[in-house]
Amino acid sequence: MNLKKSCYLLFTLLYLQNSPLAFSQQDEHPVWQATKKQPATLGIAGGYKSFVLDKLKIKVLNSSQTLSAFQQSDGDSAFDYTPVEMLTKRDRNAFFHIGDINISLKRQGETQWSEYSSAKDRKNVIETTAVKPSLAAADMTPTLGDIPLKVIRSWQNIGGDLILSFQITNPLDQPIEIGSLGIPLPFNNNMDWKDLNQAHAQNVFFDPYIGKDAGYMQVNHLHGRGPSLLVLPYENAGFEAYNPLHTDPTPRSITFEGFHEWTIHSKAHAETEWKGVDQWNTPTSTVLKPHESKTFALKFVLAPSIKEIESALLKNNRPVVVGAPGYVVPLDNPVKLFIKHSQAIKNITVYPEGALTISKRKDTPHHWHQYEVKGNQWGRARVTLTYADGIEQTIHYKVIKSEKDVVNDLGNFLTTTQWYDNDNDLFGRSPSVISYDDEDKKLVTQEKRAWYAGLSDEAGAASWLAAIMKQVVQPNPAEIAKLKRFVNETMYGRIQHKDGDKKYGVVKSLFYYEPDSMPAGTYHTDINWKTWSAWSKKEADDIGRSYNYPHVAAAHWVMYRLAKDYQNLVQEESWDTYLDRAFNTGMAMIEKAPYYAQFGQMEGSIFLLILHDLRKEGMIDKANKLESAMRQRAEHWKTLAYPFGSEMPWDSTGQEEVYLWSRYFGFDEKAQITLHAILAYMPTVPHWGYNGSARRYWDFVYGGKLSRIERQLHHYGSALNAIPVLTAYRDNPDDFYLLRVGHAGMMGALANVTTDGFGPAAFHSYPSTLANDGISGDYGTGFYGYAINSGTYIIEHPEFGWLAFSGNIQADKKTVTVTVKTASKGRVFLAKENLWMTTDAGEIETLSYNLTDKSIVLKLNTDKATMIPNVLLNINPESGYEIESIKKDNLNRYAIPATTNTVTLKKIK
């Protein structure tokens, strides 16, 4: 490991000092130091028994009867679903293993919950043959302390599948209420001290569908290939909540997200540490009558691949639902829901009452039930399906304003509430769009993490980036007037050097902590400035972090677009000046920040957009220079097995740029490797928060107010990763899975925006919170993904018929008509014809597709004629479509007079 990377890891770990997260990649971590002094209680020395099932094989320790190995029968012998390499470090009390259980209960008449855990103070379990047939079974009661229940755990092979079962008996003469019941599932997501090759070979990601009896957990290889392990309810084990195992001492960090448990009952949690938080599902308990027994069981099966998870669920008689487009529902655009189960639907309810309207539609040819889901009120909503066999399934929706209204609210909030205009600012940050604390309702002008208040790095630049990218989607003259001041007065010349030997270099922060060089009283005294993140001016002025450059390049590119394609919006500089600055920013990134520039950048797709525009504008020398520099980076990625390096040991945001350049240069193998890796951490499940949500779990530390390691829901990685996924879909329009994942990630950029337009860093997934983070953080990096990538997708699915993603569709035997519902109304893909249309200026209101002669009529928005002289329409030549009566401009775009109501596209070839 080179010195610079070592230093970064060190400062990352130092950042987390004074917390349980500190030094988690080091054997010297205080947790491991303390652990070494504790006696081993798991009983590894007592040996184990091995069992081979049809597709899985396990090792069960004799002393604890927890798993010491969990593998695929015909898979790589070095791969294990458990953190096997840490087994001898985690063999003490409090460390969870698969086979453990957590229980909270109350005896009749008690008012407080009593907690019991099989991991807290381990004792050898008592082997039993009472459960038949079983591979191994034991009375766990000795390792559950003074619990008043009897607990028998068994491992069973039923039909070739692995079953983990807990039989819980109340031996008393009084009822006992079980208020929480959790089954820890510590799969191997710990990447401590692994390089990317090792991590992709050895580790997994796991994501929940918290859907009650139809819920499941999917466990995917990091590389995204091969089987996906599914954990399913088998008996009385509805997936009610997903509980982080904070009592497990394994240190969490940027290389370890932490473990979770499958929570069957959660009432005790809801009344204590989760009190006052609206949970995904209604918290429940179960009451065991005197001498009553009840069994709770999970089933482990393998799906052949990630894309075949739903097929595997159906084969296991589990209910499957498919949302089209997904589970984020704009108020102006109902979505469809397709449901498949062997049992009839007995009842459908909605919470809150009236939040959604569910309307039955005609079943599909293969008997999927079809419903339309209409949003009626903004916010979270839950649909509960009750089937004839008693199974309950919950589906989690988020109702938002129309895509256009969300974006306009966002733009207004950023340029009013977050607008910072202070001629006396000592750090040169005025005028600007600055970070915002939505809980305290105040601008963030000082923070111990300098970048928050310094207008650079992701958490500092993201707000102004979102405000600028919004103008690509919905240009607003009043907003642009402010943003021009920011670009010309603050960004170009302060955030970015505009002259000297550092010209085009981008600093890390305008804000810094240097009290000796500033007037007395400059800095707030209630902030702890004794931390590395309170950068000095020298540190803040550093131009060596490549990740800061795409934000600035994107701003220049937007200004180019506004100056080029719109009337009277940007006239301060010529369009080619802004494009030249965008080009030079890309080159400066490589020349002035070469170390991190070797990695894929978040928003790195901006450089490909700049390259395309340089070529179209005839700036061939600059285009060639930029392409050559980018090819060198891509050639480097081509040599790597997993080209997703980052300033972090593992990351989920460089894949965007790696995929696009690999595809551009024809490095198809690397593009596919990248896409598979994205799909491993970007699931599709019937839950708005997890559907299309790219994995990210440390940026609440670097870009949040509530600072902790935690799975973030729709962090900026969602919309950024949607760029390669939807690009891959357009290359493979029969791959419905890609469309579902990509569109969900795209909508993730809008899902968390509040009703007044505040964009938070992400949504907190921990059941103790389940709310937006309080600070704007790095939100805008994700909105960049929406701005350049959002589109309406029209498909004819072989089972579900005609569908529109971000569109309202009406279809009959002759014509398919779609009202475009994205905020920009500027991109439409008709999969049947491989037709990809984009506007550089102007809006497409509706598309009508004639099924007989394949002609297409576009209805255009004429309301913006005062802003644009022409609707500028791009049509991909591979589609074979042309507009016969409209001439193209010098950039090969159809220049349609802005007063034109409709145009007709004809299939020429």
Side-chain angles (χ1 to χ4, degrees):
M1 182 180 294
N2 69 40
L3 179 60
K4 195 161 187 178
K5 181 174 277 192
S6 298
C7 290
Y8 185 83
L9 290 178
L10 179 60
F11 90 64
T12 297
L13 296 167
L14 288 173
Y15 176 80
L16 300 170
Q17 63 186 338
N18 302 320
S19 82
L21 311 178
F23 307 111
S24 61
Q25 285 206 8
Q26 302 181 25
D27 288 335
E28 295 78 22
H29 190 287
V31 166
W32 300 130
Q33 289 180 350
T35 298
K36 290 176 183 178
K37 300 174 184 178
Q38 298 168 5
T41 57
L42 191 62
I44 297 174
Y48 58 84
K49 295 182 179 67
S50 297
F51 303 98
V52 179
L53 294 81
D54 286 357
K55 295 182 180 179
L56 296 168
K57 58 184 179 180
I58 60 173
K59 292 178 181 178
V60 180
L61 292 174
N62 293 325
S63 296
S64 66
Q65 283 204 5
T66 57
L67 295 190
S68 62
F70 190 177
Q71 299 175 295
Q72 298 163 197
S73 297
D74 58 355
D76 180 359
S77 60
F79 172 77
D80 199 307
Y81 283 107
T82 71
V84 65
E85 70 274 9
M86 303 183 70
L87 184 62
T88 56
K89 297 180 70 166
R90 300 182 67 256
D91 62 348
R92 273 73 167 174
N93 286 339
F95 291 95
F96 289 104
H97 300 267
I98 299 177
D100 278 318
I101 192 169
N102 293 317
I103 302 173
S104 293
L105 56 82
K106 285 193 296 191
R107 298 173 179 85
Q108 188 177 42
E110 293 180 336
T111 59
Q112 300 294 319
W113 297 102
S114 298
E115 300 177 357
Y116 302 90
S117 172
S118 59
K120 183 178 180 180
D121 184 15
R122 288 196 185 276
K123 300 292 188 293
N124 288 348
V125 298
I126 302 170
E127 187 174 358
T128 179
T129 58
V131 181
K132 295 181 180 180
S134 64
L135 304 172
D139 183 348
M140 298 181 69
T141 310
T143 196
L144 285 163
D146 60 351
I147 192 168
L149 301 172
K150 183 176 182 179
V151 182
I152 302 293
R153 178 191 52 220
S154 63
W155 296 98
Q156 296 172 284
N157 179 350
I158 298 181
D161 295 320
L162 180 64
I163 308 297
L164 170 59
S165 177
F166 298 90
Q167 182 190 75
I168 303 179
T169 302
N170 175 10
L172 304 183
D173 293 328
Q174 58 179 320
I176 295 179
E177 182 180 10
I178 298 176
S180 70
L181 181 62
I183 302 176
L185 294 173
F187 294 113
N188 192 11
N189 62 336
N190 194 307
M191 294 179 276
D192 283 359
W193 281 132
K194 293 178 183 176
D195 61 29
L196 288 180
N197 290 357
Q198 292 169 324
H200 282 82
Q202 299 171 16
N203 290 115
V204 296
F205 291 132
F206 41 93
D207 277 303
Y209 164 36
I210 312 167
K212 296 283 283 187
D213 298 326
Y216 61 90
M217 185 182 292
Q218 61 182 58
V219 187
N220 300 327
H221 295 261
L222 255 64
H223 51 61
R225 301 185 303 277
S228 180
L229 177 68
L230 303 180
V231 186
L232 310 175
Y234 186 72
E235 185 176 1
N236 298 317
F239 202 169
E240 183 168 291
Y242 191 50
N243 186 30
L245 293 168
H246 292 310
T247 59
D248 187 298
T250 310
R252 291 176 297 125
S253 72
I254 54 174
T255 50
F256 177 53
E257 180 180 345
F259 299 128
H260 285 70
E261 71 175 3
W262 177 298
T263 307
I264 298 168
H265 293 298
S266 61
K267 179 183 175 183
H269 294 300
E271 292 181 353
T272 52
E273 69 266 35
W274 303 350
K275 191 171 184 177
V277 177
D278 188 17
Q279 296 299 310
W280 297 125
N281 295 303
T282 302
T284 67
S285 65
T286 190
V287 175
L288 288 180
K289 298 175 183 178
H291 307 288
E292 182 183 15
S293 293
K294 192 169 185 178
T295 298
F296 305 87
L298 297 177
K299 180 180 182 180
F300 301 84
V301 302
L302 286 181
S305 69
I306 292 174
K307 293 182 181 180
E308 295 173 277
I309 287 174
E310 288 162 342
S311 297
L313 293 171
L314 289 173
K315 289 179 181 178
N316 282 274
N317 197 29
R318 310 312 304 162
V320 171
V321 302
V322 173
Y327 309 95
V328 175
V329 188
L331 284 167
D332 69 335
N333 193 22
V335 299
K336 291 186 176 180
L337 180 66
F338 299 94
I339 305 168
K340 183 88 166 181
H341 187 40
S342 60
Q343 302 289 315
I345 299 171
K346 184 178 178 181
N347 191 38
I348 301 177
T349 59
V350 173
Y351 172 83
E353 186 177 355
L356 302 168
T357 298
I358 314 292
S359 303
K360 184 75 172 70
R361 296 291 184 262
K362 184 180 178 181
D363 286 357
T364 71
H366 291 91
H367 309 297
W368 288 75
H369 300 301
Q370 180 181 185
Y371 291 85
E372 181 183 83
V373 181
K374 180 180 180 296
N376 298 324
Q377 67 185 47
W378 183 93
R380 287 167 47 189
R382 180 175 68 238
V383 173
T384 301
L385 306 175
T386 304
Y387 296 95
D389 55 2
I391 282 180
E392 279 192 353
Q393 175 172 20
T394 54
I395 306 164
H396 303 276
Y397 286 95
K398 177 67 180 290
V399 181
I400 64 172
K401 295 182 180 181
S402 71
E403 293 185 44
K404 184 175 181 179
D405 285 347
V406 172
V407 168
N408 283 328
D409 288 346
L410 175 70
N412 179 67
F413 192 95
L414 289 163
T415 55
T416 55
T417 305
Q418 289 188 238
W419 182 249
Y420 181 62
D421 199 345
N422 177 9
D423 291 340
N424 297 318
D425 183 71
L426 298 174
F427 301 96
R429 297 170 297 179
S430 173
S432 66
V433 179
I434 203 167
S435 299
Y436 187 74
D437 186 325
D438 195 47
E439 292 177 348
D440 294 340
K441 306 300 180 187
K442 67 178 183 181
L443 299 174
V444 180
T445 57
Q446 296 201 21
E447 232 280 358
K448 66 180 179 181
R449 294 164 288 190
W451 55 89
Y452 278 56
L455 301 182
S456 197
D457 276 20
E458 285 67 66
S463 289
W464 60 254
L465 175 66
I468 287 174
M469 294 309 302
K470 185 266 176 183
Q471 309 313 316
V472 173
V473 182
Q474 280 289 324
N476 180 295
E479 295 170 3
I480 292 169
K482 289 184 173 182
L483 294 170
K484 286 190 296 185
R485 290 188 59 205
F486 164 72
V487 168
N488 296 326
E489 298 175 37
T490 305
M491 189 189 80
Y492 190 59
R494 297 179 190 169
I495 297 172
Q496 182 178 43
H497 291 276
K498 67 177 181 180
D499 48 37
D501 60 352
K502 293 183 178 180
K503 187 174 183 180
Y504 299 114
V506 179
V507 303
K508 290 169 64 177
S509 175
L510 292 182
F511 180 72
Y512 52 86
Y513 180 70
E514 205 162 86
D516 294 341
S517 65
M518 303 297 284
T522 296
Y523 297 101
H524 295 167
T525 57
D526 59 347
I527 295 175
N528 175 22
W529 298 108
K530 295 180 179 179
T531 172
W532 72 269
S533 60
W535 288 335
S536 67
K537 190 172 191 310
K538 179 181 179 181
E539 184 71 20
D541 284 346
D542 180 41
I543 61 173
R545 185 175 184 267
S546 61
Y547 298 97
N548 296 325
Y549 288 71
H551 317 321
V552 175
H556 288 312
W557 178 78
V558 172
M559 299 299 284
Y560 149 70
R561 289 281 301 269
L562 295 174
K564 174 78 176 182
D565 298 329
Y566 292 83
Q567 295 184 132
N568 305 320
L569 286 182
V570 175
Q571 297 174 301
E572 286 70 13
E573 301 282 359
S574 62
W575 61 262
D576 54 325
T577 297
Y578 289 115
L579 184 56
D580 181 70
R581 290 176 183 172
F583 156 73
N584 279 296
T585 303
M587 296 305 301
M589 180 189 77
I590 296 168
E591 295 165 359
K592 301 181 187 303
Y595 178 74
Y596 290 128
Q598 70 177 293
F599 305 126
Q601 310 289 297
M602 65 281 285
E603 306 149 42
S605 51
I606 190 62
F607 300 118
L608 186 57
L609 296 176
I610 292 167
L611 174 61
H612 288 321
D613 286 331
L614 289 170
R615 290 215 177 281
K616 287 191 291 186
E617 297 288 6
M619 299 179 178
I620 303 304
D621 289 344
K622 291 177 179 177
N624 289 342
K625 186 176 180 181
L626 183 61
E627 181 174 308
S628 176
M630 295 301 169
R631 175 179 277 275
Q632 289 182 36
R633 299 172 68 216
E635 290 279 4
H636 168 65
W637 299 332
K638 187 181 178 183
T639 67
L640 305 175
Y642 298 100
F644 321 127
S646 166
E647 59 186 340
M648 297 297 190
W650 175 86
D651 213 333
S652 61
T653 51
Q655 285 83 345
E656 164 218 353
E657 191 187 17
V658 169
Y659 178 86
L660 290 179
W661 285 118
S662 296
R663 175 180 178 270
Y664 179 80
F665 290 120
F667 303 155
D668 294 339
E669 180 187 3
K670 291 307 170 194
Q672 286 304 305
I673 286 173
T674 307
L675 182 63
H676 282 299
I678 292 171
L679 296 180
Y681 60 70
M682 197 169 178
T684 177
V685 293
H687 190 302
W688 70 268
Y690 290 90
N691 191 46
S693 186
R695 175 164 259 90
R696 193 75 162 187
Y697 55 86
W698 63 79
D699 260 1
F700 281 140
V701 173
Y702 298 100
K705 184 175 183 181
L706 179 53
S707 179
R708 64 189 181 200
I709 299 291
E710 172 187 13
R711 176 71 154 99
Q712 298 171 273
L713 300 186
H714 294 305
H715 176 263
Y716 69 74
S718 295
L720 285 188
N721 281 279
I723 297 171
V725 174
L726 286 176
T727 301
Y729 170 70
R730 293 192 298 272
D731 290 339
N732 302 274
D734 293 329
D735 195 328
F736 188 50
Y737 188 90
L738 291 178
L739 176 58
R740 291 167 61 194
V741 172
H743 186 272
M746 179 193 90
M747 291 298 288
L750 306 186
N752 295 329
V753 176
T754 63
T755 54
D756 58 352
F758 169 73
F763 190 92
H764 287 277
S765 66
Y766 279 3
S768 58
T769 307
L770 293 184
N772 280 344
D773 190 69
I775 206 167
S776 53
D778 39 25
Y779 168 81
T781 298
F783 185 76
Y784 162 91
Y786 180 87
I788 70 156
N789 190 47
S790 56
T792 296
Y793 289 80
I794 306 164
I795 70 166
E796 185 180 21
H797 189 273
E799 180 66 23
F800 303 145
W802 283 100
L803 301 171
F805 285 50
S806 285
N808 196 317
I809 192 166
Q810 301 292 327
D812 56 34
K813 294 181 179 179
K814 295 182 179 179
T815 308
V816 175
T817 300
V818 176
T819 303
V820 177
K821 291 293 186 178
T822 53
S824 70
K825 300 184 179 181
R827 301 182 193 90
V828 180
F829 183 69
L830 179 59
K832 197 176 187 70
E833 301 294 346
N834 191 30
L835 172 63
W836 179 229
M837 294 176 290
T838 63
T839 63
D840 291 342
E843 297 180 354
I844 302 168
E845 290 286 348
T846 64
L847 174 149
S848 294
Y849 173 51
N850 187 303
L851 295 171
T852 303
D853 66 8
K854 311 298 183 185
S855 64
I856 293 170
V857 176
L858 302 181
K859 180 181 178 183
L860 306 176
N861 180 4
T862 59
D863 294 341
K864 304 211 177 216
T866 58
M867 194 183 295
I868 56 172
N870 296 298
V871 173
L872 302 173
L873 179 67
N874 302 285
I875 299 176
N876 63 318
E878 300 85 5
S879 68
Y881 278 90
E882 294 182 1
I883 306 176
E884 295 178 331
S885 58
I886 303 294
K887 292 183 179 180
K888 293 183 178 181
D889 65 8
N890 63 332
L891 272 65
N892 205 33
R893 307 175 295 190
Y894 288 99
I896 306 166
T899 55
T900 304
N901 288 306
T902 62
V903 293
T904 300
L905 284 66
K906 294 287 188 180
K907 186 91 167 178
I908 306 302
K909 56 181 180 180

